[in-house]
């Protein structure tokens, strides 16, 4: 049944077909409901009268009150303008009109007191206000006003008498009629528990606030609602998965105990232990586990993955680990091989460059169940690769894999989906993770192994190169190794390569006594490997490279990372690069080299790197700088539909809204209780408009 709010916009009094068309085209307002949800983007504060002495050009429009001292016509012909000087005892400001000069001149008189509203701007060295609103001051006006909404408009709309003011009038009339028809999609219990104002009140006050306080309450409520429904949607997707996808129960801790007692190479951090417990609980639940494991570079995800594998291996199932690049796959394989061998488990590596004959053997062993652990790249998801019984799929660095590639890995089992552990070393801010992956369980390793010395990060301008070179010499003198990284960004690859080669030459000149490796993406794989190996073995002291070393190399003896043109790197990348050092026992350093003139953002990035080693903090700054739109996956998640809420600043509200949504889903998973019927209806509306559900595994 169509409701009042579905009424087409042209039926709003004062709109009509022509303006209706414009509102549809320019602002995508189709119905009364759309109109009511077209929120102001800011407010003019008329609750307060400013004194002229405190005005500055960076203020929005303000209200002032004073006496006109003098009025004058100035200029000739087209340049004719009317100037009036307004004085309130604290100062004087020029009011200027270029249009309607005659008309204004009749209204504005010296010696009379006026209330004036407009935006102060700097003209030369003096402040003025062009085309202010002006009205004679009358008694009682002192407190009139409050907050006036300002709506987005366009030139087309303005030319057709639909400026912010006009939109505000339409909104006002619409609200008069709509107010009593607004039903609240949130059940009363939630309003009570979270102290939220009703939908009707929130909508009224978001358009026409009568105080700062009720505006804040209205905005809070509307943000909450947006987050709440995204969360409810994600959670109901998760519920759907739980209802339909059974998971094999794995609870045999025999191998795990033996590993703990006989082979554990170090004490696990509390965070590692907690994550293992969370995974264990998931794998014995009888439901398919879908878990995102976030952990900063070096937080020790590899051993956690191995221990989780032991849980499924103990029950005769197999485990797979998929990495996005060959280098990473090899590194994982090397990391796991020792553990596996000590435990008498079989393990193999399968990548694009594995020999055909070996591939065949591996496939046979996997199908027969003779191979316990397989590590590899995309090669793992080829159809030819079959498992006897895949119990756990670990996917590293998930953001480099497409959704489809991942889901292929989970379809490797015939009847029951394997459990999934997705690991990422690029921390996603919590707020974003909850929104993008709210349908996954999330585990976080938020602690580094004890005894790590935090990497010291230093910023130097290019002019200080000699000093930096001296520092490199002293570190190499102590037996350490050094990375020097140059940016290589695809668009300007040729130039960057030249930068790199020039850099390499000057490094060779500066350090004639050292052996120096060079590695970049344009080299043949064999040549690259050979150079890498020389560095790994300690035959070279300095490695000059592009960001190809971002992932993959693990050289504990390398303790200095110099990043050239650091202003050209994004925060996530800088953090990943820095993670290449600090792996050994020695004090490590990261040196950020930049030119002298930096943009505001580049400076903030550099300062952030110098200030903190915490990947989550860095991710938060990154989110603030770039906005969530730049991050993968935001389209599907509903983040793009946020009108009021802002992921980078409203994390707290998101958290509360998620808690509320979890509460509802726990008490009433199918939303069949009468008090949740409005919720259910609203959710179904939302679903109709959701295009992809592809992230349900
Ligand atoms: P990442 O999370 O970046 O994949 P790794 O799993 O590669 O981190 O671990 C980084 C290094 O820290 C490895 O050399 C690993 O052996 C070591 N490590 C992991 N956990 C611990 C721990 N609890 N105590 C000491 N060292 C650890
Ligand atoms: Mg790793």
């Amino acid at each position: 049944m169509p409701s009042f709010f579905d009424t087409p916009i042209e039926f709003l009094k004062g709109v009509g077909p022509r303006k209706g068309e414009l509102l549809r085209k320019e602002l995508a307002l189709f119905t009364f409901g759309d109109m009511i949800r077209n929120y102001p983007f800011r407010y003019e504060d008329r609750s307060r009268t400013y004194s002229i002495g405190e005005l500055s050009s960076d203020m929005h429009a303000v209200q002032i009150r004073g006496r006109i001292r003098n009025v004058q016509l100035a200029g000739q012909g087209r340049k004719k303008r009317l100037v009036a000087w307004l004085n309130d005892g604290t100062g004087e400001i020029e009011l200027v009109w270029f249009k309607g000069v005659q008309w204004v001149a009749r209204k504005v008189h010296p010696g009379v007191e006026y209330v004036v509203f407009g935006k102060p701007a700097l003209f030369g060295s003096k402040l003025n206000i062009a085309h202010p609103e002006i009205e004679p001051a009358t008694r009682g006006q002192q407190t009139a006003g409050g907050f006036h909404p300002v709506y987005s408009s366009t030139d087309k709309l303005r030319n057709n008498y639909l400026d912010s003011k006009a939109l505000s009038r339409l909104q006002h009339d619409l609200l008069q009629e709509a107010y009593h028809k607004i039903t609240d999609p949130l059940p009363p219990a939630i309003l009570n528990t979270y102290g939220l104002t009703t939908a009707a009140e929130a909508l009224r006050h978001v358009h026409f606030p009568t105080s700062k306080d009720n505006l804040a309450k209205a905005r809070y409520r509307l943000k909450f609602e947006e987050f709440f429904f995204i969360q409810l949607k994600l959670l109901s997707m998760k519920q759907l998965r739980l209802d339909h996808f059974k998971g094999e129960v794995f609870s045999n801790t025999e191998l795990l105990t033996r590993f703990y007692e006989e082979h554990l190479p170090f004490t696990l951090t509390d965070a590692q232990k907690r994550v293992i417990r969370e995974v264990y609980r998931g794998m014995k639940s009888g439901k398919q586990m879908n878990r995102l494991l976030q952990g900063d570079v070096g937080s020790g995800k590899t051993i956690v993955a191995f221990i989780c594998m032991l849980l499924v291996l103990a029950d005769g199932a197999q485990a797979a680990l998929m990495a996005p690049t060959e280098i990473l796959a090899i590194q994982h394989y090397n990391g796991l091989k020792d553990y596996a061998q000590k435990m008498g488990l079989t393990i193999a590596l399968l990548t694009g460059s594995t020999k055909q004959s070996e591939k065949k053997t591996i496939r046979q062993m996997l199908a027969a169940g003779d191979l316990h652990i397989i590590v590899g790249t995309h090669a793992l998801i080829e159809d030819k690769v079959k498992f006897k019984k895949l119990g756990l799929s670990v996917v590293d660095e998930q953001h480099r894999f497409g959704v489809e590639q991942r889901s292929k890995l989970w379809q490797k089992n015939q009847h029951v989906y394997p459990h999934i552990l997705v690991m990422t070393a690029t921390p996603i801010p919590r707020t974003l993770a909850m929104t993008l992956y709210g349908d996954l369980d999330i585990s976080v390793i938020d602690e580094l192994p004890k005894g790590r010395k935090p990497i010291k990060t230093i910023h130097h301008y290019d002019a200080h190169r000699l000093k930096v070179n001296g520092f490199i010499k002293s570190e190499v003198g102590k037996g350490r190794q050094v990375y020097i990284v140059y940016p290589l960004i695809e668009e300007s690859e040729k130039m960057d390569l030249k930068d790199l080669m020039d850099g390499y030459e000057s490094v060779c000149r500066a350090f004639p006594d050292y052996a120096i490796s060079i590695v970049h993406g344009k080299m043949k794989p064999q040549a690259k490997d050979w150079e890498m190996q020389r560095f790994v073995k300690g035959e070279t002291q300095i490695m000059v490279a592009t960001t190809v070393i971002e992932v993959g190399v693990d050289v504990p003896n390398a303790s200095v990372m110099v990043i050239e043109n650091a202003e050209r790197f994004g925060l996530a990348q800088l953090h990943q690069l820095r993670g290449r050092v600090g792996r050994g026992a020695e004090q490590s350093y990261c040196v950020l080299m930049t030119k002298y003139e930096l943009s505001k953002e580049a400076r903030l990035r550099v300062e952030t790197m110098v200030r903190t080693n915490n990947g989550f903090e860095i991710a938060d700054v990154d989110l603030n700088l770039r906005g969530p739109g730049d991050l993968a996956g935001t389209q599907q998640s509903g983040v793009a539909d946020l009108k009021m809420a802002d992921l980078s600043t409203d994390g707290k509200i998101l958290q509360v809204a998620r808690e509320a949504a979890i509460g509802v889903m726990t008490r009433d998973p199918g939303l069949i209780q009468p008090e949740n019927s409005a919720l259910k209806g609203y959710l179904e509306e939302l679903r109709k408009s959701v295009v992809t559900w592809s992230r349900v595994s």
Side-chain angles (χ1 to χ4, degrees), residues 266-269 272 296-303 449 452 583:
F266 34 65
T267 322
L268 295 177
T269 62
Q272 285 171 316
D296 214 339
V297 194
S299 61
K301 293 184 291 296
T302 314
I303 196 158
R452 291 265 173 89
R583 306 195 147 222

Side-chain angles (χ1 to χ4, degrees), residues 441-616:
D441 295 312
I442 299 178
S443 288
V444 183
I445 308 185
D446 48 6
E447 177 187 1
L448 292 180
K450 294 210 174 52
R452 291 265 173 89
K453 289 202 182 82
I455 302 164
K456 285 197 178 131
T457 302
I458 309 145
H459 173 208
H460 277 299
Y461 294 116
D462 292 335
H464 299 150
R465 185 162 304 280
L466 280 180
K467 201 171 160 193
V468 174
N469 283 351
F471 174 68
I472 292 175
K473 274 195 188 120
S474 79
E475 286 299 295
V476 175
K478 292 183 205 157
R480 315 279 141 69
Q481 288 166 284
V482 178
Y483 297 103
I484 302 179
V485 176
Y486 287 82
L488 190 63
I489 299 163
E490 257 165 75
E491 294 153 42
S492 55
E493 220 168 316
K494 272 208 189 103
M495 244 193 66
D496 287 337
L497 204 57
K498 185 173 175 309
D499 280 357
L500 175 75
M501 297 319 287
D502 290 351
Y504 175 64
E505 275 170 28
S506 58
V507 171
C508 289
R509 271 197 306 274
F511 305 101
D513 303 334
Y514 300 153
I516 299 162
S517 293
I518 178 163
V519 171
H520 59 81
K522 285 275 143 93
M523 286 162 80
K524 292 237 165 63
Q526 289 97 325
K528 204 157 71 183
D529 263 5
W530 188 78
E531 282 287 342
M532 287 250 200
Q533 283 312 316
R534 291 213 306 150
F535 188 70
V536 171
K537 288 184 208 144
E539 292 168 11
T540 59
Q541 286 81 47
I542 298 177
M543 167 168 311
V544 175
T546 59
T547 49
V548 291
I549 61 148
E550 183 185 337
V551 289
V553 273
D554 195 356
V555 183
N557 190 47
S559 64
V560 181
M561 165 70 62
V562 179
I563 304 177
E564 297 286 343
N565 301 323
E567 72 274 8
R568 287 176 56 189
F569 291 90
L571 266 176
Q573 214 177 6
L574 288 172
H575 183 59
Q576 286 300 312
L577 281 170
R578 180 168 60 182
R580 294 297 107 203
V581 295
R583 306 195 147 222
E586 307 304 332
Q587 175 63 55
S588 290
Y589 302 90
C590 174
V591 183
L592 303 173
M593 302 294 298
T594 71
K595 58 182 181 183
Y596 189 70
E597 303 260 298
L598 291 179
S599 70
K600 217 165 112 193
E601 295 200 347
R603 191 165 291 282
L604 180 60
R605 288 198 296 269
V606 169
E607 281 167 7
T608 304
M609 288 295 293
V610 170
R611 176 171 55 84
T612 178
N613 277 310
N614 182 326
F616 287 92

Side-chain angles (χ1 to χ4, degrees), residues 298 301-302 328 331-332 396 423 425 583:
K301 293 184 291 296
T302 314
L328 256 182
Q331 192 194 330
H332 274 303
D396 193 17
M423 306 196 296
R583 306 195 147 222

